[in-house]
Amino acid sequence: SQQGEEDPQALSIQEGENATMNCSYKTSINNLQWYRQNSGRGLVHLILIRSNEREKHSGRLRVTLDTSKKSSSLLITASRAADTASYFCATDAQSGGGADGLTFGKGTHLIIQP
Amino acid sequence: SAVISQKPSRDICQRGTSLTIQCQVDSQVTMMFWYRQQPGQSLTLIATANQGSEATYESGFVIDKFPISRPNLTFSTLTVSNMSPEDSSIYLCSVKTGYTEAFFGQGTRLTVV
């Protein structure tokens, strides 16, 4: 079952602005991952952050993880029209030994206005 | 990394019929997963399919409705049986190895009429 909540559910910003999405989860995790989905198709992996990490960068992406609050944020800087998509966080539970499927948050639909 | 081919990409089916979705991976993987994404919603795990053992289903999903085969380490099928309009969703297969990123097929968009 889904355990994560993401906010906002929808976000519309102007091209060039920064976009921040938040994710909360409920159980102990080994890692948290962020994915992008364009137009209801397959998911593209963006970044993975492990439970012993607090911040991670990849290009224009910055992810933070606060395990004490069971929350994460994804920041996309200098947004582009091509960033328009749905973004999902997903957790990999510590209890599963790596053999479990991921638990997804509800997602944020991001629209970049040109 | 893994490249996953999923077929069909979309289908429109009559209620009461069944559809089998195929998932082919370009490398051998132990763990394969099937997810459902209802319209406008997030992904929900249906089951875990490991080669050589029966699939493990999540709460709310049963084998009679979603039978899964995993004949080898590169292939799996998911059947959606006795379909109703409520089964209209995107179905995605996925693989991962341990605590790493998951790879997804492009999904099968199913519409039941």
Side-chain angles (χ1 to χ4, degrees):
Chain A
S1 61
Q2 290 175 253
Q3 66 162 347
E5 295 283 335
E6 287 178 71
D7 72 270
Q9 292 189 7
L11 178 62
S12 180
I13 61 174
Q14 294 294 316
E15 193 167 17
E17 295 180 338
N18 296 342
T20 299
M21 290 159 268
N22 302 295
C23 165
S24 63
Y25 58 92
K26 297 178 181 176
T27 62
S28 295
I29 63 171
N30 175 277
N31 65 76
L32 185 145
Q33 306 176 33
W34 285 89
Y35 289 84
R36 184 184 73 224
Q37 185 180 40
N38 291 87
S39 302
R41 302 307 294 173
L43 275 71
V44 174
H45 180 264
L46 297 176
I47 198 165
L48 181 153
I49 186 166
R50 301 199 181 276
S51 60
N52 60 352
E53 298 176 306
R54 292 297 167 257
E55 187 171 312
K56 205 162 183 179
H57 297 255
S58 177
R60 294 184 296 112
L61 306 180
R62 173 178 171 258
V63 169
T64 63
L65 178 65
D66 187 336
T67 53
S68 67
K69 296 181 179 178
K70 290 186 166 59
S71 67
S72 174
S73 68
L74 170 67
L75 168 68
I76 303 173
T77 61
S79 63
R80 306 167 180 169
D83 295 328
T84 295
S86 293
Y87 292 82
F88 296 94
C89 69
T91 55
D92 204 343
Q94 184 66 43
S95 61
D100 287 351
L102 301 177
T103 300
F104 282 81
K106 293 184 176 180
T108 294
H109 184 54
L110 176 64
I111 297 173
I112 308 299
Q113 305 280 1
Chain B
S1 66
V3 177
I4 302 174
S5 299
Q6 193 172 331
K7 296 192 297 187
S9 59
R10 60 176 62 227
D11 208 341
I12 301 173
C13 300
Q14 297 292 321
R15 66 180 68 198
T17 63
S18 298
L19 176 71
T20 295
I21 302 167
Q22 299 180 4
C23 183
Q24 178 76 51
V25 189
D26 69 342
S27 57
Q28 293 185 337
V29 290
T30 301
M31 292 175 286
M32 188 174 287
F33 307 91
W34 288 97
Y35 293 85
R36 180 178 74 182
Q37 186 176 27
Q38 294 177 299
Q41 303 297 312
S42 185
L43 282 73
T44 299
L45 181 64
I46 297 172
T48 301
N50 293 333
Q51 194 266 340
S53 62
E54 287 193 6
T56 303
Y57 290 82
E58 298 297 307
S59 175
F61 298 96
V62 295
I63 187 171
D64 289 347
K65 177 67 176 178
F66 298 101
I68 288 171
S69 76
R70 183 78 200 275
N72 56 54
L73 291 174
T74 63
F75 187 79
S76 178
T77 66
L78 169 76
T79 298
V80 186
S81 303
N82 188 25
M83 290 183 286
S84 67
E86 292 70 35
D87 295 319
S88 296
S89 297
I90 298 172
Y91 293 86
L92 300 105
C93 66
S94 174
V95 301
K96 75 180 177 80
T97 304
Y99 287 124
T100 62
E101 66 181 283
F103 298 93
F104 288 83
Q106 285 299 298
T108 296
R109 185 182 293 271
L110 170 63
T111 302
V112 183
V113 296

